[in-house]
Structure formats: C-alpha cells, structure tokens
C-alpha cells in the first residue's frame, strides 16, 4: 500500500513544485520549450561521443528537437503520473544547458522507474553527470519513496558505467538484449543496473574513490 502522502505527490504539478534542485554549480529542472535550441546545440557539440549509441543523431534536426520537447512539456501538464509516464529534466551547469535526464517507464504500483540521460561532451570530467544522477535518484527515493531506479547501459560504454557506479548503481546480474545500435560493433548488449535507497551513496561520498 502506497502511503497517502506519496500518492498526493505523484502528479507532475506537485513534483514540479519541488524543482529546481541544485548542488553546487549543477541544477536540475523540468524541461521547457525554451530549452530546445540549447539542448540541440549541446547534442551537436557532442555528436562524436554520442553517435555511437544514438544512431538517430546524424539526422537529428532542431525541428525534431522542438517536437520532442513539446511532447515532454505536455507530460508535465498532465494531471497524474500514470504507469509508463516519462518526465524530462534539463541539466544546467553554471546557468547554461549542459544535457538532460529522463525518467521513463514509471511504475506506480511497484514504485520503480528507469533513468537515463546525457551530458554535453565539451563539459566532460566536471562531475556534472554524477551530480545530476545523484540529485535525481535522491529526490525520487527520499521524497517519493521509490524503491528502485533502473539504469540500462551498453556493456561497452565504460564512461556511463562509471558514472552510475559512483552514484551507487549495482549490477543486477541481468544482461538485456540490445536496445541501442553500437555503430562500431553492431547491436550492443545492455547491462541492467539498479539504484536503491541502500546502495545510493551519501552526498559527501559522491566524489570519493569507489
């Protein structure tokens, strides 16, 4: 049985009231239509790094970015979070757009969802992805009592694996069939990882050695 306090929070509007979240120079906020162009520009700057995993990127246009964001904004205007709802958040670093985080396949009954995202490759090495992922996991687990956040990462993507591991993701032992196309090696097997309240690292340990 989900506590009434949690159920009343499980609406896009109530969740949006809790944002933005900020830690240091990293901020998370629900996406807005104005974010379409800077997100598109960040994706273009990161094409070399992202193209291996996002085979739609070569054909990606500003018009498509706007269309995608319009759908994401509509989800924030819904009256309830339903099973399979997805919610998108923009990452800002020192006030400018630096990537995004998506919550998708939200399961209300089991209080589980999947989390994913990317960071502008020109800002790599600054801990932005690690901070954003930790902020999001901490919010959904402490404010909304979510039991698991799943992260699916291609086996040959060590950078994303390291970010997830530093935040507290643990390998579930499950390897999934390919859901992305590795442009270097073909279909990429995915490693299913999970973040739970027990594995989420403490904020003060986020940038320690793991």
């Amino acid at each position: 049985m989900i506590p009434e306090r949690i159920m009343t929070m499980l609406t896009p509007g109530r969740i949006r009231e809790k944002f933005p979240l900020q830690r240091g120079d990293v901020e998370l906020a629900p996406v807005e239509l104005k974010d379409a162009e800077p997100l598109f520009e960040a994706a273009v700057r990161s094409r070399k790094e992202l193209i291996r995993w996002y085979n739609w990127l070569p054909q990606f246009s500003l018009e498509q970015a706007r269309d995608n964001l319009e759908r994401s904004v509509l989800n924030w205007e819904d009256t309830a979070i339903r099973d399979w709802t997805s919610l998108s958040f923009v990452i800002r670093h020192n006030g400018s757009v630096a990537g995004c985080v998506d919550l998708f396949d939200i399961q209300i009954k089991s209080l589980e969802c999947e989390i994913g995202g990317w960071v502008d490759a020109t800002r790599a090495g600054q801990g932005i992805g690690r901070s954003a992922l930790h902020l999001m996991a901490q919010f959904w687990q402490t404010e909304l009592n979510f039991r698991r956040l799943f992260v699916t990462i291609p086996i040959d993507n060590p950078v994303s694996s390291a970010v997830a591991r530093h935040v507290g993701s643990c390998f579930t032992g499950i390897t999934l069939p390919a859901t992305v196309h590795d442009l270097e090696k073909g279909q990429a097997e995915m490693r299913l990882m999970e973040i739970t309240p027990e594995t989420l690292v403490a904020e003060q340990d986020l940038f320690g050695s793991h």
Side-chain angles (χ1 to χ4, degrees):
M1 186 75 175
I2 300 174
E4 184 177 352
R5 179 187 72 82
I6 302 301
M7 287 303 299
T8 59
M9 273 291 296
L10 284 173
T11 69
R14 292 296 301 276
I15 291 172
R16 184 162 47 191
E17 291 173 1
K18 298 288 186 177
F19 285 79
L21 301 178
Q22 187 159 2
R23 181 176 297 143
D25 51 14
V26 174
E27 178 185 279
L28 278 176
V31 292
E32 301 178 61
L33 292 177
K34 68 178 183 180
D35 297 320
E37 188 167 349
L39 278 171
F40 171 73
E41 291 171 350
V44 170
R45 285 194 297 270
S46 308
R47 181 171 296 179
K48 180 180 177 182
E49 290 77 15
L50 296 179
I51 195 172
R52 181 176 176 185
W53 313 113
Y54 298 97
N55 57 356
W56 45 262
L57 192 56
Q59 294 79 38
F60 194 50
S61 67
L62 179 55
E63 182 179 358
Q64 287 174 313
R66 288 179 175 140
D67 288 344
N68 292 345
L69 213 62
E70 283 179 6
R71 289 191 292 270
S72 296
V73 169
L74 283 176
N75 286 342
W76 281 109
E77 296 174 356
D78 204 345
T79 57
I81 290 181
R82 314 167 202 283
D83 281 346
W84 308 108
T85 290
S86 62
L87 295 173
S88 296
F89 302 80
V90 65
I91 305 170
R92 292 191 175 89
H93 180 238
N94 290 324
S96 61
V97 170
C100 67
V101 176
D102 296 305
L103 272 290
F104 48 98
D105 291 353
I106 296 173
Q107 301 293 305
I108 299 300
K109 290 182 180 178
S110 59
L111 293 176
E112 299 174 341
C113 65
E114 188 168 345
I115 186 169
W118 57 272
V119 172
D120 185 337
T122 65
R123 301 172 188 251
Q126 300 181 59
I128 298 171
R130 196 184 304 187
S131 291
L133 179 58
H134 190 270
L135 272 170
M136 190 63 73
Q138 188 176 57
F139 174 80
W140 282 78
Q141 291 183 341
T142 59
E143 294 285 335
L144 300 176
N145 280 18
F146 266 54
R147 301 186 181 107
R148 288 183 180 83
L149 274 72
F150 291 105
V151 189
T152 53
I153 299 175
I155 287 175
D156 290 331
N157 189 339
V159 174
S160 293
S161 295
V163 169
R165 188 179 65 253
H166 279 291
V167 169
S169 297
C170 295
F171 181 39
T172 62
I174 299 172
T175 302
L176 301 172
T179 56
V180 299
H181 187 80
D182 181 341
L183 292 184
E184 293 182 8
K185 298 184 178 180
Q187 293 300 109
E189 284 190 310
M190 311 290 286
R191 181 177 284 121
L192 182 64
M193 306 179 77
E194 66 177 4
I195 307 171
T196 68
E198 293 76 25
T199 65
L200 183 68
V201 302
E203 180 180 340
Q204 64 268 24
D205 299 328
L206 185 58
F207 290 94
S209 57
H210 287 264

